[in-house]
Amino acid sequence: MRTRRIAVVGLADDASQAFRSMLRILDGRDGLSWSLVAPDAAEVLIAGTQGGDALARGWALTNKPLIAVYEGGAARPMTPYTLHHPFRVMQLLGVLEDVDQALGGAAPEAPRAKAAANHTAWNFAESLRLLARTSAAGNLHVAGSGAERVFVRDDLTVYYASADIVQRLSRQALELPALTLSSAKPPPNFEARPVFELAWFSGWHAAETPAPWIEHTATYRLRRWPDFGLLRGTRDQLALAALLTHGSYSRARLIEVSGQPASMVDRFLNACAVAGVLASTGDAAVPAENASTFIASSAARLGGLIRGLRSRLGLTG
Amino acid sequence: MTTSQRFGRVATGVAQKHLDAFAQTTPGVVSAVLLSADGFEVASLQVGKGGAARLAAMGSSLSAIGSAIAKEAGIVECNRMIIESDSGTIVIMTIAEARPPMSLAVIASDASMLGQLLWAAKNCCNAIARAFRE
Amino acid sequence: MSETEFKIVFTGPMGAGKTTAIGAISDEPPVSTDVTNTDRAAFDKAQTTAGLDYGRIALDDGVSVRLYGTPGQLRFRFMWDILGHNAAGVIVLIDASQRDALVQLDAFVDAFGGGKRMPIVVGIGRSGEPGALSLDAFAQRLESHGMTLPVFGVDVRRRDDVLLLVDTLLCLLELGDSGRRSA
């Protein structure tokens, strides 16, 4: 029997009660036991938005998994493990299983602070990722100066930037410093845009090599498709997303199976990580029963048709 | 809004009477549904509630597809669809000038004779058209 | 599935843009089977599809890709089954400003196999408009049912957006080869 230690913070009484009884129901399932402990003894923290901010923020600075609980119409936090309240016991089980696999994965990487200091290209993206893991207090954080500033609300609903910055964001790295708490307000001419876009492109353009938090030996999968309608996804990105939503891959295996250059795969993994949709699955692959049945039956016969259709619609390249 | 409210209580009642008369005087009629072009049941005969609703939807699809095929073929108006088998016949007949547009779907056994069935159905449709023209 | 034919189904509630989407990529204007809508209370549009929309893309070697649009209302569910039979994939279009948009999403995704029998791509129109649900709400809804389907914010009046949905479907179909290699 494997025991994992979990702490809970920031859940209202009813949610907290429900969570505790769900933990009891799930106890011992699949040889896994969840023990409710104080935060400083825990391996996993489940954090809601009703208080416990300081604790969640401190947790976000570590490598330990955080399960973010959000409710109502709030935007999904940009972190891999989330639950929308009220959630059912099977949803909690799914997330706990993922967290268990992530904890059982490859050896922990170098301490975060050291890694960040060695990679200044990642300062902004890293600060955005940390913001994404903490609960919302309704404050604005800002990076950059003057017209080049980017404001981000810590509930991650929107970011504010000039039209020029928004244009450049999708094409190149903005080279912003880390976000800091600010009492300033965005100028009236700044546009309000979805934060996912900022996170994605910051992650995409920061480097052509793996981000500090990408482990070469871990296997990854996507918890959610990025909104390629918003991001104007390319075929290569669609293909990678298709792979990662139907199986778990290490970085090396993904490069091999996709046939895409390492730089493309690295950018994709980085962008997904900053945007909070990339989950590490430790060493274990996704069990076969999750695979869709159409995968076994399509493709070979359709290969020529797909090429022909792409050509006809102008989708080559 | 119930069917009779949407299509008019009086007209619906009149249509029902015509359906009853049609079935009583025409050999081989098993069931019939008066349906709107968008698949709602207006009145029905000898079909259970669920059955009438399904027939109405399916009849409207067939009718719509039939019209589209006719248009492709350069046939100006498709006003009758006849589906025949050894054991029975289905006729879907458009009711001219009904507002909203409607069709009559009839299911008949092999005891029916096609010519007689079509003639009686046409009369029924004309009578229903008068009821709904107002 | 036929060796030389390939069909893509566009489905979703009334007013979500199925006919528009097919029209954006079909070789000729789609055949439609519009009839007078008598249920203006449910949806205030003069016409509604009673049968199907049909479009076609002819490929170079004489092969056709057939495009089918289903009627949106639940009473035409039998048409979803007929049109979905042997389809290569399904594109579900939802209008985020409709009152019951999440329920509609559930119904259509479920009716076409939940992404298991054949790939499903979801296009959400009008998300982020005032009073409309966010894209997040739709993705979250599917996640709560254990599904990770592509959910993109689109405007099907833009051909590029329709092409994005089709390209994603094709990428999912291409998983067949690579999916087996990774096992």
Side-chain angles (χ1 to χ4, degrees):
Chain A
M1 175 77 69
R2 198 162 63 255
T3 302
R4 293 277 183 218
R5 303 182 304 281
I6 184 165
V8 58
V9 75
L11 292 183
D13 285 341
D14 59 335
S16 185
Q17 288 270 28
F19 171 69
R20 281 159 212 268
S21 28
M22 284 186 204
L23 268 195
R24 280 195 295 275
I25 293 171
L26 294 173
D27 195 46
R29 195 189 164 104
D30 296 330
L32 187 53
S33 174
W34 290 93
S35 161
L36 204 51
V37 300
D40 49 4
E43 297 166 274
V44 186
L45 179 70
I46 177 165
T49 53
Q50 318 279 337
D53 279 10
L55 181 66
R57 249 197 291 282
W59 193 273
L61 292 168
T62 69
N63 263 338
K64 296 188 280 186
L66 179 142
I67 302 172
V69 177
Y70 66 116
E71 49 192 289
R76 178 184 175 277
M78 292 188 317
T79 187
Y81 313 110
T82 62
L83 281 167
H84 186 257
H85 173 70
F87 49 87
R88 294 190 298 273
V89 66
M90 292 313 287
Q91 289 174 274
L92 176 62
L93 176 64
V95 172
L96 289 177
E97 280 177 344
D98 287 345
V99 166
D100 176 54
Q101 283 189 344
L103 286 170
E109 65 197 48
R112 181 166 298 283
K114 181 172 155 203
N118 291 339
H119 299 90
T120 53
W122 289 103
N123 284 350
F124 176 75
E126 182 74 359
S127 67
L128 185 59
R129 219 166 77 98
L130 289 179
L131 197 64
R133 305 186 76 205
T134 63
S135 43
N139 296 319
L140 282 171
H141 294 247
V142 69
S145 54
E148 303 274 295
R149 278 175 302 173
V150 170
F151 290 81
V152 183
R153 282 179 59 93
D154 65 6
D155 62 1
L156 298 181
T157 46
V158 288
Y159 77 97
Y160 301 91
S162 68
D164 176 59
I165 289 276
V166 170
Q167 284 288 322
R168 281 164 43 198
L169 174 68
S170 59
R171 291 197 304 267
Q172 59 198 192
L174 291 180
E175 292 170 4
L176 291 166
L179 287 162
T180 54
L181 190 59
S182 169
S183 54
K185 293 277 182 295
N189 67 318
F190 275 26
E191 292 178 17
R193 304 276 310 169
V195 172
F196 194 91
E197 176 182 80
L198 177 68
W200 175 269
F201 287 118
S202 302
W204 184 270
H205 288 295
E208 277 195 338
T209 51
W213 54 78
I214 299 287
E215 300 172 20
H216 288 238
T217 51
T219 57
Y220 294 98
R221 70 181 176 91
L222 279 186
R223 299 198 64 83
R224 185 181 277 206
W225 279 76
D227 175 8
F228 287 121
L230 172 71
L231 303 172
R232 313 317 301 169
T234 63
R235 164 98 56 69
D236 294 336
Q237 293 168 343
L238 296 176
L240 288 171
L243 282 169
L244 284 168
T245 49
H246 286 83
S248 297
Y249 295 83
S250 65
R251 178 184 169 272
R253 190 89 181 105
L254 188 59
I255 292 169
E256 186 192 348
V257 172
S258 69
Q260 294 188 31
S263 56
M264 178 67 78
V265 171
D266 285 331
R267 283 189 192 277
F268 187 84
L269 290 175
N270 294 341
C272 288
V274 178
V277 293
L278 191 70
S280 142
T281 58
D283 291 326
V286 168
E289 59 261 24
N290 282 344
S292 306
T293 54
F294 72 79
I295 288 177
S297 63
S298 64
R301 279 183 297 173
L302 296 178
L305 269 169
I306 292 176
R307 273 193 298 281
L309 180 59
R310 283 222 167 93
S311 164
R312 181 72 184 69
L313 292 174
L315 289 172
T316 47
Chain B
M1 193 186 295
T2 65
T3 299
S4 59
Q5 282 172 327
R6 186 183 308 139
F7 297 107
R9 204 195 319 262
V10 170
T12 308
V14 169
Q16 185 71 55
K17 288 206 174 60
H18 288 305
L19 278 186
D20 293 338
F22 162 69
Q24 274 160 21
T25 56
T26 315
V29 171
V30 172
S31 55
V33 176
L34 177 64
L35 54 114
S36 66
D38 65 340
F40 288 108
E41 169 212 346
V42 180
S44 65
L45 184 66
Q46 278 159 200
V47 195
K49 208 71 188 96
R54 266 197 307 280
L55 260 179
M58 294 174 112
S60 75
S61 297
L62 271 174
S63 210
I65 294 169
S67 292
I69 293 176
K71 201 165 140 204
E72 278 291 309
I75 296 169
V76 172
E77 276 206 41
C78 166
N79 31 39
R80 282 196 299 282
M81 290 182 73
I82 302 168
I83 299 168
E84 289 188 83
S85 77
D86 289 339
S87 53
T89 304
I90 302 171
V91 176
I92 302 176
M93 197 174 274
T94 311
I95 299 180
E97 298 163 27
R99 291 285 164 271
M102 286 185 216
S103 298
L104 176 68
V106 180
I107 300 177
S109 69
D110 59 358
S112 67
M113 285 178 300
L114 187 58
Q116 185 178 25
L117 185 66
L118 291 175
W119 179 83
K122 189 86 188 105
N123 287 341
C124 183
C125 285
N126 289 341
I128 291 175
R130 281 194 295 275
F132 279 97
R133 201 146 41 213
E134 299 83 51
Chain C
M1 199 183 313
S2 157
E3 291 293 337
T4 55
E5 299 267 18
F6 180 107
K7 77 178 179 183
I8 297 176
V9 175
F10 289 75
T11 192
M14 201 175 157
K18 301 179 289 290
T19 312
T20 307
I22 293 176
I25 57 177
S26 175
D27 284 349
E28 291 124 12
V31 174
S32 76
T33 52
D34 276 355
V35 297
T36 304
N37 174 25
T38 66
D39 195 4
R40 298 294 284 260
F43 200 92
D44 194 17
K45 212 169 151 214
Q47 301 259 287
T48 186
T49 303
L52 56 114
D53 297 317
Y54 176 77
R56 196 180 70 119
I57 302 171
L59 305 184
D60 287 338
D61 44 2
V63 166
S64 282
V65 174
R66 293 174 294 161
L67 310 168
Y68 288 96
T70 72
Q73 298 92 331
L74 200 56
R75 63 184 179 277
F76 292 111
R77 198 196 151 123
F78 65 94
M79 285 301 295
W80 304 351
D81 296 333
I82 291 171
L83 295 174
H85 182 62
N86 275 348
V90 179
I91 293 175
V92 177
L93 297 175
I94 302 283
D95 179 340
S97 67
Q98 285 181 12
R99 199 177 13 98
D100 51 357
L102 289 173
V103 172
Q104 298 275 14
L105 175 69
D106 283 345
F108 285 99
V109 167
D110 187 62
F112 286 91
K116 292 196 174 22
R117 225 167 46 224
M118 54 200 158
I120 294 179
V121 176
V122 180
I124 307 287
R126 308 176 74 174
S127 66
E129 278 185 18
L133 288 170
S134 69
L135 204 81
D136 200 64
F138 295 97
Q140 202 277 319
R141 179 76 161 212
L142 292 174
E143 256 170 45
S144 69
H145 296 305
M147 291 182 271
T148 312
L149 304 180
V151 178
F152 302 158
V154 294
D155 180 347
V156 293
R157 292 169 303 183
R158 291 203 300 241
R159 187 164 184 269
D160 278 351
D161 284 17
V162 181
L163 291 178
L164 173 69
L165 295 171
V166 173
D167 206 0
T168 308
L169 205 62
L170 298 178
C171 285
L172 285 168
L173 285 168
E174 285 174 323
L175 273 182
D177 279 339
S178 52
R180 272 182 273 118
R181 281 204 302 268
S182 80

